[in-house]
Amino acid sequence: MAQMEAIPGVILAGGLSSRMGQDKARLRLGGLSLLDRAIKRLQPQVSTLAVNANGPVLFEPGAELPVFADLDASRSGPLGGVLAALDHARRHHPGAHHVATVPTDSPFFPADLVARLAHAADGPERIATARSAGGPHPVFALWPVALFEDLSAWLAGGGALRVRSYLERHRAREVSFPTIETPRGAFDPFFNINTPDDLAAAENWLWILER
């Protein structure tokens, strides 16, 4: 079991957001940007928090965090962000065995995400990831800092950019999270915003969940 008090968190905000047509981290949901919603959701669950982004980042006043880019400009997808997160953790938090990552586009992720992933990470080199009724959510994960060199070699050697391919190689442990029962039916807490229609649906769910 990973020690929760020693787990830094990183919000992955470096994607291109091609289906949305703009930077998803800046989209506003219920008056807050998706980035700031991710900050408010993850910050109580980790020891420290930073943001991985490959461009300018806008924070709410008083919510500024350390920001770092991918280690190269190859646009190697979420795994490039994970590699940067591992590098940031090993340089700035040398006592940490794992780092937790979340994307910006799933604003309702569980408040006990990191605690449950930490419980499943039964060793310093075990990856733990989330899944729900909607399937696996490989970017919601706890990553061993010791895998930095391995992941770096994987990407440099042309390894698949799919996060799940890398997870399968390391026999990552999946943690199942339940749906949320609401007056409108079951809701997956990992609801993902990829399109303008998804954002509109998220506004409706936000109203239901915060009643």
Side-chain angles (χ1 to χ4, degrees):
M1 180 188 301
Q3 292 298 314
M4 249 181 45
E5 63 268 22
I7 299 176
V10 172
I11 297 170
L12 302 179
L16 293 174
S17 308
S18 57
R19 281 186 284 175
M20 182 61 72
Q22 58 181 298
D23 182 358
K24 284 193 286 188
R26 298 189 184 189
L27 294 175
R28 300 190 81 79
L29 173 64
L32 283 178
S33 71
L34 293 188
L35 174 59
D36 283 293
R37 285 196 172 274
I39 291 171
K40 288 179 179 295
R41 202 84 172 162
L42 186 59
Q43 200 157 39
Q45 303 189 45
V46 293
S47 56
T48 63
L49 190 56
V51 177
N52 163 241
N54 295 306
V57 176
L58 294 179
F59 295 105
E60 293 291 321
E64 292 81 3
L65 295 171
V67 179
F68 57 88
D70 290 355
L71 298 184
D72 60 52
S74 64
R75 288 291 184 183
S76 48
L79 283 178
V82 171
L83 182 66
L86 295 179
D87 180 62
H88 185 267
R90 69 177 188 156
R91 287 188 295 109
H92 296 280
H93 309 289
H97 294 297
H98 289 78
V99 59
T101 62
V102 303
T104 57
D105 56 6
S106 294
F108 307 106
F109 64 86
D112 62 349
L113 173 76
V114 176
R116 293 197 57 202
L117 293 180
H119 185 78
D122 57 356
E125 296 190 10
R126 173 75 75 177
I127 304 172
T129 68
R131 77 172 294 124
S132 66
H137 307 286
V139 182
F140 286 95
L142 210 61
W143 303 90
V145 178
L147 288 182
F148 173 80
E149 298 292 349
D150 181 85
L151 179 54
S152 181
W154 170 271
L155 293 174
L161 298 184
R162 289 178 64 249
V163 179
R164 290 180 64 183
S165 296
Y166 188 75
L167 294 176
E168 288 165 3
R169 179 171 182 255
H170 285 278
R171 298 183 181 180
R173 178 162 292 173
E174 287 190 336
V175 179
S176 293
F177 289 82
T179 55
I180 301 170
E181 294 304 321
T182 80
R184 298 280 183 90
F187 176 73
D188 189 331
F190 295 97
F191 179 88
N192 182 247
I193 298 173
N194 283 314
T195 67
D197 286 345
D198 293 337
L199 182 61
E203 288 281 3
N204 290 330
W205 280 114
L206 181 67
W207 181 82
I208 293 167
L209 294 169
E210 292 189 349
R211 289 181 64 182

